[in-house]
Amino acid sequence: MVESLKFWRHKRTADYNYFDYIRVSTLELIVHELKNKNVGGEMAELGVYKGKFARYFNAYFPDKKLFLFDTFRGFDNRNRSTELSNEYSSTWQDFADTTIDQVLNSMPHPGKCIVRKGLFPETAGGLEETFCLVSLDCDLYEPIYDGLKYFYPRLVKNGYILIHDFNNDSYKGVRAAVEKFCEEENINVVPLADVCGTCIITR
Ligand SMILES: C[S@@+](CC[C@H](N)C(=O)[O-])C[C@H]1O[C@@H](n2cnc3c(N)ncnc32)[C@H](O)[C@@H]1O
């Protein structure tokens, strides 16, 4: 079998109550590319909640730092007002039932995790790192736009930014933020057919 096709045969242990096949297998393919090309740079997720997606990053790359950005108290009212006034989302979901300890205890390599608790982008100061793999899964217009502004210039060549909910009608601010940013930077996205409509930006 062609080496790269071995990917399709291996047994997966993903939690399919929480993730769908396309999301998880696309991440696996991206990890394969990053490892094959030995891409440098660290990893980050903005919008961690209980760490279920970030856990994969930490498991796949035990030697890379993983920056975890979240309020760990759910959505902040400063972001909520923009959502409501633009009718992007109702912000009804509550992501407050998590703790940093719970997230770190779920990680296979917690020593590589750096937690940045609070409202992004206020929590992004003072980092020198560049990034090869970033997940923006914070649902709302403002942090998605701020996340792109922050991480895209710090994305290494051959790196990836995954933006969850791009094609999700329940969170219309995500698409609005991505489209604004892409227009400004003259870049494009690859939309995925996963359940919540992730899109991908690469360099
Ligand atoms: C859908 S959840 C993330 C799900 C997570 N990626 C997973 O694997 O299950 C969205 C998260 O974004 C966080 N969030 C939203 N706006 C934020 C902001 N401005 N700063 C920091 N965290 C934010 C919320 O606290 C919430 O935990």
Side-chain angles (χ1 to χ4, degrees):
M1 194 186 321
V2 178
E3 183 68 22
S4 61
L5 295 184
K6 282 185 186 163
F7 161 81
W8 298 109
R9 292 276 174 95
H10 83 83
K11 191 169 175 330
R12 292 183 172 75
T13 53
D15 173 2
Y16 287 117
N17 292 321
Y18 197 80
F19 295 112
D20 61 279
Y21 172 83
I22 292 177
R23 189 178 184 199
V24 172
S25 54
T26 302
L27 177 62
E28 285 182 359
L29 286 169
I30 286 171
V31 167
H32 183 74
E33 293 302 312
L34 291 171
K35 284 187 188 274
N36 244 4
K37 293 176 189 145
N38 202 17
V39 179
E42 311 301 341
M43 306 181 291
E45 181 164 63
L46 166 54
V48 174
Y49 186 37
K50 296 187 180 184
K52 286 200 167 194
F53 195 55
R55 190 181 184 288
Y56 286 103
F57 286 26
N58 189 232
Y60 283 130
F61 290 105
D63 297 329
K64 288 187 185 290
K65 292 184 205 167
L66 173 58
F67 289 85
L68 299 170
F69 293 92
D70 205 297
T71 62
F72 297 99
R73 302 169 64 166
F75 296 143
D76 188 283
N77 285 339
R78 284 168 283 181
N79 293 152
R80 269 202 173 97
S81 54
T82 301
E83 293 299 301
L84 298 176
S85 60
N86 290 284
E87 298 185 351
Y88 288 146
S89 67
S90 64
T91 70
W92 66 272
Q93 276 186 292
D94 178 18
F95 294 103
D97 59 332
T98 184
T99 65
I100 292 171
D101 279 350
Q102 188 183 347
V103 169
L104 292 179
N105 287 336
S106 76
M107 295 290 165
H109 309 288
K112 298 303 286 186
C113 296
I114 297 115
V115 174
R116 291 283 179 123
K117 177 180 161 71
L119 188 76
F120 189 92
E122 292 171 3
T123 49
L127 295 187
E128 303 289 326
E129 281 78 2
T130 55
F131 297 87
C132 66
L133 184 58
V134 175
S135 163
L136 301 182
D137 190 5
C138 47
D139 300 349
L140 312 180
Y141 177 88
E142 286 173 337
I144 289 286
Y145 182 75
D146 290 339
L148 288 167
K149 284 287 246 196
Y150 183 80
F151 286 109
Y152 185 68
R154 292 169 174 78
L155 190 68
V156 299
K157 184 173 181 312
N158 296 323
Y160 297 84
I161 301 178
L162 315 180
I163 306 135
H164 201 230
D165 298 306
F166 172 72
N167 265 321
N168 183 348
D169 257 2
S170 299
Y171 286 108
K172 295 188 185 73
V174 175
R175 175 182 275 274
V178 171
E179 286 182 343
K180 178 171 164 30
F181 182 77
C182 287
E183 175 79 27
E184 290 166 356
E185 293 294 325
N186 198 22
I187 56 175
N188 199 8
V189 300
V190 179
L192 295 190
D194 63 334
V195 168
C196 287
T198 296
C199 73
I200 300 179
I201 291 173
T202 187
R203 270 213 197 256

